[in-house]
């Protein structure tokens, strides 16, 4: 038998960072995001003995004995973390299998690749073991594995985006309460948004944990500038949701531009001279606004390019060695299935 699973990466359109505690606990967070046709993929092949973990995109393979808990030592810890939790919470006994993973974007890309991978792996285990997990269950479990079991700093949006898929307005509150509101946006609006949002890879990944840790510290210490900036970033998610539902796409560039300027006040390291060069180059070429996707510091960046300005922006980016990345929005989230291998 072979079990396969895939989950989509996401673009954080607005509100990013307000899903991180303690801000979301104290003030409530709001995020607008949309999944795209870049994926994290996981395949499980049951074995008679042993465990083989293989991350194809990273060129890493490790072979281990079947035990109830795999040592977390920096080698494929995301894969080990999911296995450890599945055994601890569900099977209560070791499993033997080969787990193969691949992610279409590099770590630190700002597209939620790590969390999406955890969701994909969980989906594969849930399919194999017939675990009674709904969408909210999988997303919350993925969050706990990353934030509690593996001690990785971050928010909550990525796990829910990967699990649910589509365009979602998400609300985050204390006690791990999350509400996912799927948006019913007219198809032509989605098509026009897809045409006008242009995605680029800056060529550098970043360590999001440090940015998130400083952002968290600013909230805990009551830093007025950072907290007010987060209030404004949250408000931008509401504004963008309304603009999309009403089909007022001409407002998106302005909302993105305002949100980006506030986001930079949430913590140092979100922007840098290279990112500012990229941003100004896009604006001068015809974009009306944009932002880093994710915590900041590098990874992917996108811009709203009205009319046919996308072509001028792409050309301008090529001149400063920034790579254009084609994408399309997806309407579905985590998908898992299994099938029998043919004999012989």
């Amino acid at each position: 038998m072979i079990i396969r699973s895939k989950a989509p990466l996401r673009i954080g359109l607005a509100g990013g960072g307000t899903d991180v505690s303690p801000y979301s606990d104290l003030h409530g967070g709001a995020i607008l995001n949309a999944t795209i046709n870049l994926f994290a993929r996981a395949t499980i092949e049951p074995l008679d003995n042993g465990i083989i973990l293989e991350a194809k995109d990273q060129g890493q393979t490790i072979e281990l004995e079947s035990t109830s808990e795999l040592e977390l030592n920096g080698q494929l810890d995301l894969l080990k973390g999911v296995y450890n939790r599945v055994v601890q919470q569900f099977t209560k006994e070791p499993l033997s299998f080969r787990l193969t993973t691949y992610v279409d974007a590099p770590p630190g890309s700002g597209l939620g690749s790590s969390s999406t991978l955890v969701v994909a792996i969980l989906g594969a285990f849930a399919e194999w073991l017939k675990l009674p997990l709904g969408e909210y269950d999988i997303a919350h479990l993925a969050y706990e594995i990353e934030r509690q079991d593996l001690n990785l700093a971050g928010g909550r949006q990525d796990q829910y985006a990967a699990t649910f898929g589509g365009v979602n307005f998400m609300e985050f509150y204390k006690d791990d309460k999350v509400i996912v509101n799927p948006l019913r946006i007219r198809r032509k609006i989605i098509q026009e948004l897809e045409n006008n949002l242009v995605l680029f890879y800056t060529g550098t990944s970043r360590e999001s944990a440090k940015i998130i840790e400083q952002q968290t510290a600013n909230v805990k210490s009551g830093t007025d500038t950072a907290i007010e900036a987060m209030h404004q970033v949250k408000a931008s998610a509401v504004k963008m949701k309304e603009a999309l539902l009403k089909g007022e796409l001409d407002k998106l560039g302005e909302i993105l531009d305002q949100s980006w300027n506030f986001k930079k006040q949430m913590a140092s390291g979100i922007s840098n001279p290279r990112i500012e060069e990229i941003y100004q180059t896009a604006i001068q070429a015809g974009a009306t606004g944009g932002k880093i996707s994710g915590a900041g510091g590098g990874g992917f960046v996108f811009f709203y390019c009205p009319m046919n300005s996308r072509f001028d922006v792409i050309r301008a980016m090529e001149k400063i060695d920034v790579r254009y990345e084609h994408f399309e929005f997806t309407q579905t989230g985590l998908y898992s299935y299994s099938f029998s291998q043919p004999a012989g």
Side-chain angles (χ1 to χ4, degrees):
M1 175 183 286
I2 291 180
I3 301 94
R4 295 198 194 276
S5 179
K6 73 173 184 178
L9 305 184
R10 61 98 186 105
I11 292 177
L13 295 170
T18 67
D19 58 325
V20 179
S21 295
Y23 180 86
S24 58
D25 304 329
L26 296 170
H27 307 286
I31 281 184
L32 180 67
N33 58 34
T35 52
I36 61 176
N37 62 337
L38 297 173
F39 298 92
R41 307 166 193 271
T43 299
I44 290 177
E45 302 167 73
L47 300 175
D48 293 330
N49 292 292
I51 294 174
I52 301 173
L53 303 178
E54 187 172 20
K56 286 288 189 181
D57 52 324
Q58 298 179 38
Q60 291 188 56
T61 302
I62 53 178
E63 297 187 21
L64 305 160
E65 293 183 3
S66 293
T67 60
S68 296
E69 185 173 3
L70 301 179
E71 179 189 5
L72 302 176
N73 58 5
Q75 286 189 296
L76 305 184
D77 280 355
L78 284 178
L79 283 65
K80 293 174 181 175
V82 177
Y83 168 77
N84 288 348
R85 176 58 83 97
V86 167
V87 171
Q88 170 197 332
Q89 190 164 331
F90 299 104
T91 69
K92 310 297 184 183
E93 59 183 18
L95 301 168
S96 295
F97 59 93
R98 174 193 292 270
L99 171 61
T100 305
T101 62
Y102 188 90
V103 183
D104 292 338
S109 64
L111 300 179
S113 56
S114 296
S115 300
T116 305
L117 177 58
V118 171
V119 167
I121 298 169
L122 263 179
F125 275 112
E127 173 71 18
W128 178 27
L129 303 171
K130 306 304 178 190
L131 303 180
L133 298 172
E135 291 170 323
Y136 276 99
D137 299 320
I138 287 180
H140 181 69
L141 189 55
Y143 169 78
E144 286 191 337
I145 290 169
E146 281 192 273
R147 306 294 171 247
Q148 297 176 13
D149 300 356
L150 298 176
N151 240 359
L152 299 174
R156 295 174 172 84
Q157 68 157 317
D158 298 346
Q159 298 87 353
Y160 288 85
T163 305
F164 283 82
V167 182
N168 293 292
F169 181 77
M170 301 181 180
E171 301 169 75
F172 303 89
Y173 302 100
K174 64 180 180 180
D175 301 324
D176 289 334
K177 180 182 178 182
V178 180
I179 302 172
V180 178
N181 305 281
L183 300 188
R184 295 182 62 185
I185 302 172
R186 286 173 288 169
R187 181 169 176 77
K188 69 176 183 179
I189 299 301
I190 289 289
Q191 292 291 325
E192 187 66 5
L193 182 64
E194 203 170 82
N195 181 80
N196 293 356
L197 274 187
V198 189
L199 183 66
F200 299 94
Y201 183 54
T202 64
T204 58
S205 59
R206 81 284 183 270
E207 184 65 49
S208 63
K210 293 179 180 177
I211 295 172
I212 291 168
E213 285 166 2
Q214 186 185 57
Q215 178 184 310
T216 300
N218 286 341
V219 175
K220 287 180 177 178
S221 65
T223 305
D224 291 341
T225 301
I227 293 174
E228 179 57 30
M230 294 182 77
H231 290 339
Q232 294 297 330
V233 167
K234 180 172 67 174
S236 73
V238 177
K239 292 177 184 177
M240 189 172 290
K241 176 191 70 172
E242 293 174 352
L244 283 176
L245 291 174
K246 293 178 180 178
E248 297 172 340
L249 294 184
D250 57 322
K251 294 183 178 180
L252 296 193
E254 180 184 349
I255 295 171
L256 281 170
D257 186 60
Q258 292 174 350
S259 178
W260 171 239
N261 285 317
F262 282 118
K263 184 177 178 67
K264 289 187 288 185
Q265 299 174 36
M266 288 162 48
S268 62
I270 288 175
S271 189
N272 56 49
R274 174 60 169 165
I275 292 172
E276 290 300 316
E277 177 194 18
I278 291 169
Y279 196 91
Q280 292 305 319
T281 298
I283 296 297
Q284 290 167 12
T288 54
K291 67 182 287 289
I292 288 281
S293 184
F300 281 86
V301 60
F302 62 88
F303 296 96
Y304 188 78
C305 305
M307 302 300 291
N308 289 316
S309 60
R310 63 178 287 125
F311 306 109
D312 295 328
V313 173
I314 291 171
R315 191 175 300 113
M317 288 292 146
E318 289 174 348
K319 293 178 181 178
I320 59 171
D321 297 321
V322 177
R323 189 185 82 211
Y324 164 67
E325 182 80 33
H326 173 76
F327 77 92
E328 295 176 1
F329 291 116
T330 65
Q331 297 304 310
T332 56
L334 173 66
Y335 180 70
S336 307
Y337 62 93
S338 58
F339 62 93
S340 299
Q341 293 176 279

